[in-house]
C-alpha cells in the first residue's frame, strides 16, 4: 500500500471524527472572511438566541451578513485571541464566540455553555482560487486554529506543490 497525502488526510480526519469533531466539505469555508459562516452563525443562534434575535430585530434579513462582517472586522482590528477572549458588540448586542472549559463542575450553566462549542475538520481548504489549498484546517466554530500542509518525504512530496 502506498502512503499518500490523501491517505494521511483521511486517517487524521477519521481520528478527529471518532473523537467528536465534525467533518465539513471545503465548500463550507468562505475565503473572503476566513470563516465557516454557517457554523459561526449556528453557534451564535444556538448559544445566544436572545442577543441574536435582538440584533435581527434591527438588521432584519441582513443580520447574518452584518454580524459575520463585524466579527471579521473585529479580528482584523484587534486580533483573533483578543476577540475570542472577549465579546463582539454590535448595536447594543454582545456575542461570545467561544465558551472555555469550566474550571470546576460547580456552575452547571458554564458546563452547558461549553457544550455549544463546535469543532470541525476541513480537508483541502482553498485560500487563493481553486488551484491553491492547504491540506487540512482544524476549526473551532469558525476560525482556523490550525492548518496543516502534509508531506511525505519518502514519495518526494516534501515541498509545497500548490
Amino acid at each position: 500500500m502506498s502512503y499518500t497525502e490523501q491517505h494521511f488526510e483521511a486517517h487524521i480526519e477519521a481520528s478527529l471524527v471518532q473523537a467528536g469533531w465534525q467533518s465539513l466539505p471545503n465548500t463550507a469555508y468562505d475565503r473572503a472572511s476566513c470563516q465557516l459562516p454557517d457554523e459561526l452563525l449556528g453557534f451564535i443562534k444556538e448559544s445566544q438566541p436572545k442577543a441574536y434575535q435582538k440584533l435581527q430585530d434591527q438588521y432584519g434579513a441582513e443580520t447574518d451578513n452584518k454580524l459575520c462582517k463585524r466579527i471579521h472586522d473585529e479580528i482584523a482590528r484587534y486580533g483573533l485571541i483578543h476577540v475570542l477572549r472577549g465579546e463582539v458588540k454590535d448595536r447594543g448586542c454582545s456575542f461570545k464566540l467561544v465558551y472555555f472549559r469550566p474550571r470546576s463542575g460547580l456552575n452547571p450553566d458554564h458546563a452547558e455553555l461549553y457544550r455549544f462549542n463546535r469543532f470541525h475538520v476541513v480537508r483541502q481548504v482553498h485560500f487563493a482560487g481553486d488551484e491553491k489549498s492547504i491540506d487540512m484546517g482544524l476549526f473551532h466554530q469558525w476560525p482556523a486554529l490550525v492548518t496543516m500542509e502534509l508531506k511525505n518525504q519518502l514519495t518526494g512530496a516534501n515541498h509545497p506543490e500548490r
Side-chain angles (χ1 to χ4, degrees):
M1 174 179 191
S2 71
Y3 294 97
T4 64
E5 283 182 28
Q6 291 77 21
H7 287 109
F8 195 27
E9 284 177 30
H11 176 73
I12 292 170
E13 178 183 34
S15 296
L16 289 169
V17 167
Q18 187 175 20
W21 290 56
Q22 183 183 4
S23 177
L24 294 176
N26 62 8
T27 55
Y29 179 74
D30 178 61
R31 285 178 270 215
S33 65
C34 301
Q35 296 176 357
L36 297 173
D38 292 342
E39 297 308 317
L40 168 61
L41 294 166
F43 167 78
I44 289 172
K45 290 175 185 179
E46 288 178 15
S47 65
Q48 301 154 88
K50 291 177 184 175
Y52 180 82
Q53 183 60 53
K54 183 178 173 184
L55 192 64
Q56 191 171 39
D57 291 344
Q58 298 175 62
Y59 281 136
E62 288 296 309
T63 305
D64 291 354
N65 290 333
K66 296 275 190 180
L67 185 53
C68 284
K69 183 174 180 350
R70 169 67 72 163
I71 292 166
H72 181 265
D73 292 348
E74 291 285 306
I75 292 168
R77 184 172 184 192
Y78 300 110
L80 179 61
I81 300 299
H82 175 84
V83 172
L84 287 176
R85 287 184 175 164
E87 296 179 332
V88 172
K89 297 179 181 183
D90 192 5
R91 294 195 173 188
C93 303
S94 297
F95 298 96
K96 298 282 289 174
L97 301 178
V98 62
Y99 290 108
F100 295 101
R101 183 185 307 267
R103 292 180 187 215
S104 73
L106 297 177
N107 188 333
D109 292 340
H110 286 174
E112 183 61 32
L113 290 171
Y114 178 73
R115 284 192 270 283
F116 282 109
N117 289 313
R118 300 168 175 212
F119 298 91
H120 308 286
V121 56
V122 179
R123 292 172 60 179
Q124 296 302 312
V125 178
H126 292 274
F127 61 90
D130 289 334
E131 67 281 348
K132 296 202 179 215
S133 66
I134 297 209
D135 290 332
M136 301 190 85
L138 305 182
F139 295 81
H140 179 261
Q141 263 82 269
W142 49 276
L145 298 177
V146 175
T147 58
M148 294 183 275
E149 185 63 26
L150 307 173
K151 298 297 170 205
N152 181 347
Q153 292 180 338
L154 298 176
T155 61
N158 58 357
H159 297 289
E161 318 156 41
R162 296 175 244 170

